[in-house]
Amino acid sequence: MSEPTARTVALADVPADRRRGGAIRVLLGPRTVGSTSGFLGVASLEPGERIAEHYHPYSEEFLYVAAGRITVDLDDRPTPLHAGEGLYVPVNVRHRLRNTGDIPAEVVFHLGPLAPRPELGHVDTEVATQRSPS
């Protein structure tokens, strides 16, 4: 078995996953770099967009707002975050991200540890809805 090597992944090289709302890109994870302890990505949300409510039965989630303003609903409790602020989401806490500002928001996220299998790592609790295209 070979030793892991450092790898660089550009945001532009990762296709956006829009199934849960917004544009979610996992930059550093098992599929992109072979990580074994967690993954890191960026969620982009236009004003009014949201990422549908979900929870992680195995992972803690760390959020950092790099640009814009969002509200994270934690078990239905709104928690506003501005650029330069971070939020810790414990295991099994339902959460949804909403861009409540008037400019695009960029949120860096990290989850760890990984679930035993990828399909067990994320549990949707509502259906994602998208804004109408302009």
Side-chain angles (χ1 to χ4, degrees):
M1 190 143 98
S2 65
E3 287 291 316
T5 59
R7 294 207 28 220
T8 300
V9 178
L11 186 67
D13 293 339
V14 179
D17 179 347
R18 297 182 181 277
R19 292 173 296 167
R20 294 183 171 101
I24 299 170
R25 291 177 169 87
V26 174
L27 275 75
L28 308 174
R31 290 184 186 130
T32 58
V33 298
S35 64
T36 59
S37 65
F39 60 88
L40 177 136
V42 176
S44 303
L45 296 155
E46 292 297 322
E49 274 191 316
R50 70 182 194 171
I51 295 172
E53 185 186 80
H54 60 282
Y55 68 92
H56 308 285
Y58 294 93
S59 306
E60 301 172 310
E61 186 164 3
F62 304 86
L63 301 171
Y64 175 76
V65 180
R69 180 177 75 213
I70 66 169
T71 298
V72 180
D73 299 316
L74 297 166
D75 286 337
D76 298 321
R77 189 183 80 248
T79 303
L81 292 173
H82 296 83
E85 294 182 324
L87 175 68
Y88 165 69
V89 181
V91 172
N92 287 321
V93 171
R94 291 179 293 111
H95 53 286
R96 103 177 33 83
L97 283 65
R98 299 182 285 129
N99 182 340
T100 48
D102 54 5
I103 63 170
E106 296 286 328
V107 181
V108 177
F109 60 89
H110 174 268
L111 279 86
L114 294 173
R117 294 191 321 268
E119 67 275 11
L120 299 176
H122 183 105
V123 178
D124 291 314
T125 54
E126 70 182 4
V127 176
T129 57
Q130 287 293 325
R131 290 179 345 144
S132 301
S134 303

